[in-house]
Amino acid sequence: MKKLFLFAIILIATASSLKAQTIFTYYDFNVEPKDEQTVLNLYKAYFANKPEGLKGVKVSLCQTHFAEKGVPTHELIFVGSPENLGAAYDSKSSDAWSLLQSEISKYTKEVSAGMGESISVFGDANSEQYPIQDIYYINLKDEKLFKSKFDAFWSKNISKNGRISFGSVNTKGSDGVTHYVLRSYKNFTDEFKEDGSSLIGYSEYMNSVKDIRTIISTRTRILLGNW
């Protein structure tokens, strides 16, 4: 995954131009089923005692649920302010980090990397309580207009059993993805019971954004670890 981290260092250099208080970098990779627990244990052992260089940075490991062909099985995410995340990437790599990377590379195959910024969040901010996450990767023609409609609807309609967020994303790919919408739930029961169409004004909201938003792909992921 060394190449992916070098790519993210290039991306993080642009963080000073972001006005958002929260930004993130992520790394998508594949793991064979037989090696999934090994990879989780390696990350858990390293991040359990948060390294000094990651002060103020939250690290999450997610697994794709029913990953289709071409969809990465896992994702490692670093979240923080531009200052804290920038400091993390500027810090000198330790021997422990180099060893972790060497071990992880034995069980993973890199897919892609990128960065983004959180724009709007509604619901409980404690993501640890909402490990089931549906991601909608989208292309927007007008971010400002979409945000105004997104905020107006979801600020009044977020379920007590879930949370929703919206943000921008930059990737190495050229699939046209510019933004994402993330719906998070406490468990699969809450996810399956959620019926957005039953919310007052939902149809009107969806119609109001259909001409400026195109859904590129969707993915369900499960939070395996949060440090």
Side-chain angles (χ1 to χ4, degrees), residues 1 4 27-33 35-36 39 64 67-75 104-112:
M1 298 174 71
L4 296 187
Y27 307 90
D28 289 338
F29 54 94
N30 288 325
V31 181
E32 293 294 331
D35 297 322
E36 289 176 352
V39 170
T64 302
E68 299 179 357
K69 184 178 180 180
V71 176
T73 63
H74 290 71
E75 187 170 42
I104 287 293
S105 66
K106 298 176 182 178
Y107 307 103
T108 64
K109 184 177 181 180
E110 60 190 53
V111 177
S112 63

Side-chain angles (χ1 to χ4, degrees), residues 120 122-123 127 130-137 150 153-154 157-166 180-187 190-199 202 205-206 219-222:
S120 295
F122 297 104
S127 61
Y130 299 88
I132 310 303
Q133 305 170 357
D134 290 338
I135 312 174
Y136 301 83
Y137 294 104
F150 181 92
F153 181 78
W154 289 110
N157 291 284
I158 186 61
S159 168
K160 65 179 181 179
N161 294 319
R163 64 196 300 267
I164 188 168
S165 60
F166 154 65
Y180 68 90
V181 171
L182 178 64
R183 298 292 307 275
S184 303
Y185 307 91
K186 290 184 177 180
N187 48 57
D190 286 343
E191 180 197 29
F192 295 155
K193 289 170 60 178
E194 183 78 1
D195 182 13
S197 62
S198 66
L199 300 174
Y202 183 78
Y205 162 66
M206 294 298 286
R219 186 190 308 177
T220 296
R221 69 186 185 192
I222 302 173

Side-chain angles (χ1 to χ4, degrees), residues 51-65:
E52 182 64 26
L54 289 176
K55 183 178 180 180
V57 176
K58 179 178 290 187
V59 184
S60 300
L61 177 65
C62 296
Q63 179 181 32
T64 302
H65 191 57

Side-chain angles (χ1 to χ4, degrees), residues 11-57:
L11 287 174
I12 205 70
T14 67
S16 60
S17 66
L18 297 177
K19 296 181 180 180
Q21 293 300 307
T22 302
I23 64 173
F24 59 88
T25 57
Y26 65 91
Y27 307 90
D28 289 338
F29 54 94
N30 288 325
V31 181
E32 293 294 331
K34 63 182 178 63
D35 297 322
E36 289 176 352
Q37 191 60 48
T38 298
V39 170
L40 173 59
N41 289 341
L42 285 168
Y43 278 128
K44 186 182 295 185
Y46 179 81
F47 290 118
N49 297 314
K50 185 65 72 71
E52 182 64 26
L54 289 176
K55 183 178 180 180
V57 176

